Amino acid sequence: MITESDVWPLVKARLGLTDDAHKTLAELYIAEVGQRIRHYINQQRIPDGLLLTWAAMVSAVLAEDQGELLYPPPAPVEVPEVSIGDTSVKSSTVTPAAPPKPNVSLLDKVVLDYRVDLNHYRKLRW
């Protein structure tokens, strides 16, 4: 059976991350998505066949939820004032965007998006 530690290297590769700067954040998502998978398939452990699916699900949620954090936009170049003839333009101040907030409905959407892969391992309760 696979564990959460098996998923991080795959998520890191899928997202193109070169260091472990966001590992703690990713581990939270790996645990959350893993819990959702276990609930959906009604099993205590996630089968080996779902390793790539688990990594794909975590990558999808991380890229959507925390994309601005993982891939920060380049710093804007500020030009103090531009004058052409009798027209001048002053630069405006750029206010930083609020950090992204986790979206619970996105987790539900991702689980449903991958249900074709998950249904194969699903055990029904009677």
Side-chain angles (χ1 to χ4, degrees):
M1 294 290 173
I2 54 176
T3 63
E4 294 175 1
S5 61
D6 299 328
V7 179
W8 167 240
L10 297 174
V11 170
K12 185 177 170 182
R14 285 182 69 99
L15 294 176
L17 302 176
T18 56
D19 58 10
D20 289 342
H22 302 291
K23 185 176 181 180
T24 304
L25 176 66
E27 286 174 342
L28 292 172
Y29 281 89
I30 290 168
E32 177 71 23
V33 171
Q35 180 182 7
R36 301 277 177 132
I37 291 171
R38 285 189 292 278
H39 285 192
Y40 188 84
I41 65 174
N42 297 322
Q43 294 187 38
Q44 294 297 318
R45 294 180 168 221
I46 299 174
D48 293 339
L50 288 176
L51 175 62
L52 296 176
T53 303
W54 190 0
M57 293 171 74
V58 171
S59 300
V61 172
L62 267 172
E64 182 71 26
D65 246 7
Q66 305 291 337
E68 292 177 16
L69 181 65
L70 296 175
Y71 312 110
V77 177
E78 293 201 25
V79 179
E81 186 173 348
V82 176
S83 296
I84 299 176
D86 61 346
T87 305
S88 65
V89 178
K90 293 183 180 179
S91 67
S92 61
T93 58
V94 178
T95 56
K101 297 178 182 172
N103 187 345
V104 175
S105 63
L106 179 63
L107 287 168
D108 293 336
K109 179 184 171 296
V110 168
V111 169
L112 292 177
D113 286 349
Y114 285 89
R115 69 179 176 259
V116 172
D117 299 314
L118 299 175
N119 282 342
H120 180 71
Y121 297 94
R122 192 171 193 186
K123 291 185 178 180
L124 299 176
R125 294 183 205 173
W126 295 98

XYZ file of all heavy atoms in Angstrom, residues 63-111:
354
model
N -2.375 23.393 -7.877
C -2.221 24.367 -8.960
C -3.392 25.344 -8.989
O -3.205 26.539 -9.234
C -2.090 23.652 -10.300
N -4.595 24.848 -8.723
C -5.778 25.722 -8.744
C -5.871 26.591 -7.495
O -6.134 27.784 -7.575
C -7.034 24.858 -8.871
C -8.320 25.636 -8.945
C -8.501 26.378 -10.258
O -7.932 25.942 -11.265
O -9.214 27.399 -10.248
N -5.666 25.989 -6.338
C -5.839 26.690 -5.062
C -4.667 27.611 -4.718
O -4.866 28.703 -4.209
C -5.970 25.661 -3.932
C -7.333 25.673 -3.288
O -8.212 26.380 -3.790
O -7.510 24.973 -2.284
N -3.459 27.153 -4.952
C -2.274 27.870 -4.496
C -1.347 28.252 -5.656
O -0.150 28.417 -5.458
C -1.499 27.004 -3.491
C -2.312 26.538 -2.316
C -2.696 27.671 -1.378
O -2.059 28.708 -1.347
N -3.743 27.470 -0.613
N -1.885 28.395 -6.833
C -1.076 28.702 -8.005
C -0.269 29.982 -7.871
O 0.893 30.052 -8.277
N -0.862 31.011 -7.274
C -0.153 32.282 -7.100
C 1.008 32.147 -6.127
O 2.007 32.847 -6.250
C -1.109 33.364 -6.625
C -2.131 33.766 -7.664
C -3.123 34.786 -7.138
O -2.844 35.410 -6.087
O -4.165 34.956 -7.774
N 0.873 31.256 -5.167
C 1.940 31.038 -4.199
C 3.060 30.187 -4.801
O 4.237 30.471 -4.610
C 1.377 30.356 -2.950
C 2.362 30.078 -1.815
C 2.881 31.390 -1.247
C 1.686 29.276 -0.726
N 2.680 29.153 -5.546
C 3.679 28.273 -6.154
C 4.426 28.960 -7.296
O 5.619 28.755 -7.479
C 3.010 27.005 -6.686
C 2.371 26.089 -5.657
C 1.636 24.946 -6.350
C 3.402 25.544 -4.700
N 3.705 29.742 -8.062
C 4.286 30.423 -9.226
C 4.013 31.918 -9.116
O 3.119 32.444 -9.773
C 3.679 29.882 -10.528
C 3.647 28.384 -10.611
C 2.444 27.686 -10.538
C 4.815 27.659 -10.747
C 2.414 26.307 -10.620
C 4.794 26.275 -10.816
C 3.586 25.610 -10.752
O 3.558 24.254 -10.826
N 4.778 32.622 -8.285
C 4.507 34.055 -8.099
C 4.746 34.832 -9.392
O 5.655 34.517 -10.156
C 5.497 34.473 -7.014
C 6.536 33.417 -6.989
C 5.915 32.168 -7.523
N 3.894 35.833 -9.634
C 4.085 36.642 -10.838
C 5.363 37.469 -10.716
O 5.803 37.783 -9.606
C 2.845 37.540 -10.873
C 2.365 37.581 -9.474
C 2.759 36.271 -8.844
N 5.966 37.800 -11.834
C 7.182 38.605 -11.763
C 6.883 39.988 -11.193
O 5.777 40.507 -11.332
C 7.654 38.701 -13.221
C 6.451 38.356 -14.033
C 5.585 37.481 -13.191
N 7.876 40.551 -10.534
C 7.704 41.875 -9.939
C 7.507 42.910 -11.051
O 8.214 42.892 -12.063
C 8.924 42.234 -9.101
N 6.551 43.803 -10.871
C 6.311 44.811 -11.907
C 7.452 45.833 -11.950
O 8.070 46.135 -10.938
C 5.004 45.470 -11.474
C 4.924 45.243 -10.015
C 5.631 43.928 -9.757
N 7.697 46.319 -13.128
C 8.703 47.360 -13.310
C 7.984 48.691 -13.187
O 7.009 48.949 -13.891
C 9.385 47.236 -14.696
C 10.359 48.359 -14.909
C 10.046 45.890 -14.834
N 8.451 49.497 -12.270
C 7.795 50.784 -12.061
C 8.526 51.883 -12.808
O 9.741 52.003 -12.735
C 7.734 51.107 -10.572
C 6.830 50.155 -9.827
C 6.354 50.725 -8.514
O 6.313 51.959 -8.365
O 6.033 49.918 -7.642
N 7.764 52.653 -13.528
C 8.280 53.807 -14.244
C 7.703 55.036 -13.545
O 6.491 55.177 -13.442
C 7.841 53.776 -15.724
C 8.352 54.989 -16.465
C 8.311 52.495 -16.370
N 8.567 55.914 -13.034
C 8.050 57.032 -12.247
C 7.141 57.979 -13.039
O 6.065 58.300 -12.605
C 9.297 57.756 -11.766
C 10.433 57.175 -12.517
C 10.000 55.910 -13.137
N 7.558 58.380 -14.217
C 6.734 59.272 -15.024
C 7.241 59.238 -16.459
O 8.437 59.231 -16.713
C 6.805 60.712 -14.500
C 5.873 61.648 -15.204
C 5.831 63.020 -14.559
O 6.342 63.188 -13.444
O 5.285 63.918 -15.195
N 6.298 59.191 -17.359
C 6.637 59.182 -18.775
C 6.002 60.415 -19.398
O 4.809 60.663 -19.234
C 6.119 57.895 -19.457
C 6.390 57.937 -20.949
C 6.730 56.672 -18.840
N 6.802 61.168 -20.112
C 6.294 62.376 -20.776
C 6.592 62.314 -22.260
O 7.715 62.036 -22.678
C 6.955 63.623 -20.194
O 6.610 63.769 -18.847
N 5.564 62.571 -23.027
C 5.708 62.697 -24.475
C 4.975 63.967 -24.873
O 3.754 64.066 -24.745
C 5.122 61.475 -25.211
C 5.832 60.195 -24.800
C 5.189 61.680 -26.719
C 5.264 58.938 -25.402
N 5.733 64.944 -25.319
C 5.137 66.225 -25.669
C 4.507 66.858 -24.456
O 5.130 67.026 -23.412
N 3.231 67.233 -24.578
C 2.543 67.862 -23.442
C 1.733 66.849 -22.631
O 0.959 67.214 -21.765
C 1.641 68.994 -23.937
C 0.555 68.515 -24.879
O 0.652 67.367 -25.349
O -0.395 69.280 -25.132
N 1.900 65.545 -22.892
C 1.182 64.494 -22.173
C 2.155 63.768 -21.253
O 3.239 63.382 -21.658
C 0.573 63.475 -23.162
O -0.249 64.164 -24.091
C -0.243 62.435 -22.426
N 1.741 63.597 -20.008
C 2.563 62.833 -19.076
C 1.690 61.810 -18.352
O 0.522 62.054 -18.098
C 3.253 63.753 -18.070
O 2.297 64.381 -17.253
N 2.303 60.683 -18.043
C 1.609 59.595 -17.359
C 2.423 59.224 -16.134
O 3.613 58.984 -16.225
C 1.463 58.367 -18.286
C 0.785 57.226 -17.553
C 0.702 58.725 -19.535
N 1.769 59.180 -14.994
C 2.432 58.778 -13.751
C 2.070 57.326 -13.453
O 0.965 56.885 -13.749
C 1.999 59.673 -12.594
C 2.456 61.099 -12.730
C 2.064 61.901 -11.530
C 2.545 63.343 -11.698
N 2.169 64.164 -10.567
N 3.022 56.625 -12.863
C 2.763 55.222 -12.536
C 1.831 55.125 -11.340
O 1.822 55.984 -10.464
C 4.075 54.495 -12.250
O 4.652 55.004 -11.076
N 1.061 54.056 -11.328
C 0.171 53.823 -10.193
C 0.815 52.794 -9.275
O 1.622 51.973 -9.693
C -1.188 53.324 -10.670
O -1.023 52.114 -11.364
N 0.451 52.850 -8.036
C 0.990 51.879 -7.088
C 0.247 50.556 -7.243
O -0.959 50.529 -7.467
C 0.845 52.385 -5.640
O -0.541 52.633 -5.391
C 1.638 53.658 -5.434
N 0.978 49.487 -7.133
C 0.410 48.157 -7.261
C 0.200 47.596 -5.865
O 1.133 47.511 -5.071
C 1.357 47.244 -8.076
C 0.782 45.849 -8.174
C 1.611 47.837 -9.434
N -1.032 47.228 -5.571
C -1.310 46.625 -4.268
C -1.223 45.114 -4.418
O -1.740 44.536 -5.377
C -2.719 47.004 -3.769
O -3.672 46.615 -4.757
C -2.819 48.492 -3.518
N -0.535 44.463 -3.496
C -0.412 43.010 -3.598
C -1.760 42.328 -3.401
O -2.602 42.794 -2.631
C 0.560 42.645 -2.481
C 0.570 43.812 -1.558
C 0.139 45.009 -2.347
N -1.949 41.244 -4.115
C -3.185 40.474 -4.003
C -3.179 39.686 -2.699
O -2.131 39.336 -2.171
C -3.306 39.520 -5.188
N -4.372 39.427 -2.207
C -4.501 38.622 -0.990
C -4.036 37.201 -1.280
O -4.187 36.713 -2.404
C -5.948 38.616 -0.531
N -3.446 36.542 -0.297
C -3.015 35.162 -0.538
C -4.218 34.273 -0.847
O -5.315 34.509 -0.347
C -2.348 34.759 0.781
C -2.822 35.739 1.778
C -3.196 36.979 1.053
N -4.017 33.271 -1.686
C -5.138 32.397 -2.034
C -5.634 31.622 -0.828
O -4.871 31.294 0.068
C -4.544 31.464 -3.092
C -3.078 31.590 -2.943
C -2.781 32.904 -2.324
N -6.925 31.365 -0.816
C -7.534 30.633 0.290
C -7.940 29.243 -0.186
O -8.423 29.092 -1.311
C -8.763 31.382 0.794
C -8.427 32.745 1.354
C -9.659 33.472 1.803
C -9.279 34.849 2.310
N -10.418 35.683 2.592
N -7.749 28.226 0.641
C -8.154 26.876 0.246
C -9.645 26.817 -0.055
O -10.449 27.477 0.601
C -7.803 26.024 1.462
C -6.761 26.803 2.170
C -7.074 28.244 1.919
N -9.999 26.029 -1.031
C -11.367 25.943 -1.499
C -11.852 24.508 -1.330
O -11.408 23.610 -2.039
C -11.390 26.364 -2.972
C -12.777 26.472 -3.514
O -13.729 25.993 -2.917
N -12.884 27.102 -4.667
N -12.775 24.300 -0.404
C -13.263 22.952 -0.109
C -14.042 22.383 -1.288
O -13.926 21.206 -1.615
C -14.137 22.952 1.165
C -14.742 21.586 1.423
C -13.318 23.388 2.353
N -14.824 23.214 -1.963
C -15.608 22.711 -3.087
C -14.701 22.243 -4.220
O -15.067 21.365 -4.995
C -16.586 23.770 -3.586
O -15.894 24.892 -4.075
N -13.505 22.817 -4.319
C -12.560 22.370 -5.331
C -12.111 20.941 -5.051
O -11.979 20.137 -5.975
C -11.351 23.310 -5.389
C -10.268 22.938 -6.387
C -10.818 22.996 -7.806
C -9.089 23.858 -6.251
N -11.908 20.596 -3.785
C -11.536 19.215 -3.435
C -12.633 18.241 -3.848
O -12.354 17.174 -4.402
C -11.256 19.100 -1.939
C -9.963 19.733 -1.450
C -9.953 19.807 0.059
C -8.771 18.958 -1.950
N -13.878 18.610 -3.594
C -14.986 17.750 -3.990
C -15.045 17.592 -5.507
O -15.274 16.502 -6.022
C -16.313 18.318 -3.487
C -16.426 18.287 -1.982
O -15.747 17.455 -1.355
O -17.174 19.108 -1.426
N -14.813 18.676 -6.221
C -14.831 18.646 -7.681
C -13.728 17.734 -8.217
O -13.958 16.953 -9.135
C -14.661 20.055 -8.238
C -14.649 20.145 -9.740
C -14.365 21.575 -10.179
C -14.118 21.680 -11.653
N -12.940 20.987 -12.113
N -12.545 17.812 -7.640
C -11.434 16.983 -8.097
C -11.728 15.507 -7.843
O -11.458 14.659 -8.697
C -10.111 17.420 -7.436
C -9.023 16.393 -7.663
C -9.673 18.763 -7.974
N -12.291 15.183 -6.686
C -12.634 13.783 -6.402
C -13.630 13.279 -7.444
O -13.474 12.172 -7.976
C -13.193 13.621 -4.971
C -13.783 12.238 -4.768
C -12.103 13.878 -3.950
